[in-house]
Amino acid sequence: MKLAGSISRTGLPGQGVRNRSKTVSQFCAQAFYLILSVIKYICTRYNLFGKVTESRASGQRPVFCFRTEPGSQIQAYALNACIHKHMPVSDYAADTPHPGNAKHFQGEPGAGIFKQIGLLKSRAYYTFFKKKYQETELSNMKEILVTGNTLPEAYHKALAALEKEGETGACEDWGCSQKEVSMTMVVEHPLAEPMISRLFIGGPAELEQYRMEMLDGILDFEIEKGNWKYTYHDRIKDQIPFIIEELKRSPSSRRAVMTVRTPEDIGSEDPACMQHLQYFIRDGKLECKVLFRSNDACKASFMNAFAIIMLQKRIADALGVPMGSYCHRANSYHCYEKDFDMLKGYLKRIEEDDVEEITFDYEDDWKEMMEDARPAILSQVETLKKQQ
């Protein structure tokens, strides 16, 4: 029996040294993995990950911790200064702010560290960190489907589902945490009353201004002045005639799509949240399906939905068909940390108040008030146009 490290029958010089080196590397890899496994068990058993978070809040530097941030790419954070000594500057983003002066390693968890100590080839470590990432990250974004007869009913169900089932994690682009789900909100009868929810930031004037922005482009001039990169109206205005003509050509068409996202959004710090709108005529009614990559639940989603439903009605009237359902899809339906209390307050009212106390009729209550707000809105627009 050939012993590890002996010269092989091929007679190649140095083969025994390579075998011994390989055996030592495997032993070190197994030992290191055992140490990590012990650390993982201790942290899980005694909830040390929670204590690490508390130590960050108090300004103390934890000894050693790997973690991943929900909503971000796979990341690893090494907080031990002794590990940093072995890392060249090129292996971490030194300018990435993080509590406790933690260094931010991009790529697969632990990849930068393993490269430095020659252990990346060990599948055991990759599996360890990959599994930890999947446990804490990939299972966090829940798929939620809510339906309602009216817009407020579906919207209130969406808010409740976000508060009850949303996962809280980091939003690194805005330097805060967020509660998030993937949401599909279906409104069976978009024009049915009550159509207005009281649970959004704004009143009749604000809702009318947003409707006018979306449908009439009253703020498109901000693009020409260089203040805004886009408006939704500017992105879709030239596509609306195609939607009407396409559905007149073939009521069963699946091609009636308006695209909001453009190549300009790639790499932009302010890409469009709404991505596209698609229209169908089914059972003689105009259906609308809209996709958002990102949607602020508390401060934007109701106004978004209301304005898009008004656009759906305008297209339905042009086609001479009644309104069908409205489907509002947000891949990230979220609430930012600063609005957590607002979301909780909304849920409290949804659960405790009667429907009449948290809704208004559009036709009988708000429509006239919104129309009355138009002169003041247009006056403000003219003032803005004159400003440099």
Side-chain angles (χ1 to χ4, degrees):
M1 180 180 295
K2 184 177 67 174
L3 299 177
S6 64
I7 298 176
S8 67
R9 293 180 62 181
T10 61
L12 296 176
Q15 182 69 41
V17 176
R18 283 194 291 271
N19 286 341
R20 284 193 298 272
S21 176
K22 182 177 180 180
T23 301
V24 172
S25 296
Q26 290 176 339
F27 174 79
C28 291
Q30 293 171 356
F32 189 61
Y33 178 65
L34 178 61
I35 293 172
L36 290 179
S37 298
V38 172
I39 293 174
K40 179 184 177 183
Y41 171 78
I42 294 175
C43 290
T44 303
R45 175 66 176 82
Y46 295 100
N47 195 26
L48 294 185
F49 287 114
K51 294 180 180 179
V52 166
T53 302
E54 294 172 2
S55 68
R56 283 202 192 98
S58 61
Q60 301 173 6
R61 177 184 289 276
V63 177
F64 181 72
C65 174
F66 282 96
R67 65 191 293 265
T68 51
E69 294 289 354
S72 65
Q73 63 179 349
I74 299 177
Q75 299 168 346
Y77 293 88
L79 305 185
N80 191 333
C82 68
I83 291 181
H84 295 168
K85 294 179 182 178
H86 298 287
M87 300 296 295
V89 175
S90 61
D91 276 5
Y92 60 81
D95 59 345
T96 300
H98 193 273
N101 296 321
K103 301 303 181 183
H104 174 191
F105 298 91
Q106 297 186 345
E108 298 294 349
I113 297 173
F114 293 153
K115 276 186 178 180
Q116 295 305 306
I117 58 180
L119 296 176
L120 187 59
K121 292 181 180 179
S122 174
R123 184 68 180 174
Y125 306 112
Y126 177 84
T127 302
F128 173 81
F129 284 99
K130 187 74 172 180
K131 182 178 180 182
K132 184 62 183 175
Y133 173 80
Q134 291 173 337
E135 290 173 351
T136 59
E137 291 282 342
L138 298 181
S139 63
N140 282 354
M141 184 172 278
K142 295 182 179 179
E143 286 286 345
I144 305 294
L145 169 65
V146 299
T147 61
N149 185 58
T150 66
L151 173 57
E153 180 183 355
Y155 170 62
H156 294 166
K157 287 181 178 180
L159 291 177
L162 175 61
E163 170 60 18
K164 293 178 180 180
E165 302 187 51
E167 295 287 347
T168 302
C171 178
E172 296 177 352
D173 286 338
W174 299 108
C176 65
S177 62
Q178 65 179 3
K179 182 169 285 190
E180 179 185 51
V181 297
S182 287
M183 177 64 66
T184 301
M185 180 174 69
V186 180
V187 184
E188 298 289 352
H189 302 283
L191 298 181
E193 300 288 7
M195 194 178 173
I196 305 296
S197 170
R198 299 191 186 196
L199 307 183
F200 80 100
I201 301 299
E206 288 75 20
L207 189 58
E208 175 61 13
Q209 177 180 320
Y210 187 73
R211 188 202 65 80
M212 294 172 71
E213 289 179 33
M214 176 82 77
L215 275 65
D216 304 324
I218 62 172
L219 296 182
D220 286 2
F221 69 89
E222 295 286 11
I223 302 174
E224 298 176 2
K225 295 177 67 174
N227 295 330
W228 293 358
K229 294 182 179 179
Y230 72 93
T231 67
Y232 286 145
H233 177 266
D234 184 66
R235 292 273 178 98
I236 66 175
K237 63 183 180 181
D238 295 331
Q239 302 180 65
I240 295 175
F242 160 74
I243 299 297
I244 297 172
E245 292 304 317
E246 174 63 19
L247 292 175
K248 283 182 177 180
R249 181 194 69 82
S250 174
S252 63
S253 175
R254 298 184 296 269
R255 304 172 186 174
V257 179
M258 291 194 293
T259 300
V260 181
R261 184 177 179 86
T262 69
E264 297 174 0
D265 288 333
I266 299 175
S268 170
E269 293 183 357
D270 185 28
C273 293
M274 184 165 61
Q275 302 294 283
H276 70 252
L277 304 99
Q278 186 168 9
Y279 296 89
F280 300 86
I281 295 180
R282 297 293 184 267
D283 194 25
K285 301 175 182 178
L286 183 69
E287 312 277 341
C288 175
K289 301 182 186 297
V290 59
L291 171 66
F292 284 81
R293 64 166 183 84
S294 174
N295 204 199
D296 187 324
C298 294
K299 292 184 174 179
S301 63
F302 177 79
M303 297 177 74
N304 292 148
F306 179 86
I308 299 170
I309 288 172
M310 291 293 101
L311 176 60
Q312 181 183 357
K313 184 179 186 304
R314 180 175 291 187
I315 295 174
D317 290 344
L319 290 167
V321 299
M323 288 273 285
S325 66
Y326 170 77
C327 179
H328 185 108
R329 166 69 183 181
N331 287 343
S332 171
Y333 191 72
H334 54 264
C335 173
Y336 293 113
E337 182 179 6
K338 58 185 174 64
D339 299 323
F340 282 177
D341 288 342
M342 181 190 301
L343 181 59
K344 290 179 180 178
Y346 283 170
L347 177 61
K348 187 174 187 295
R349 295 199 62 185
I350 291 168
E351 292 181 336
E352 297 180 2
D353 293 355
D354 294 333
V355 173
E356 294 78 11
E357 297 179 280
I358 53 176
T359 59
F360 289 108
D361 282 355
Y362 171 66
E363 289 290 339
D364 294 338
D365 296 330
W366 271 42
K367 185 176 181 178
E368 183 177 353
M369 290 188 290
M370 291 172 65
E371 291 174 348
D372 290 343
R374 289 177 190 172
I377 294 171
L378 293 174
S379 176
Q380 293 174 352
V381 168
E382 290 303 315
T383 300
L384 289 172
K385 287 181 178 179
K386 296 176 183 178
Q387 294 179 355
Q388 297 296 326

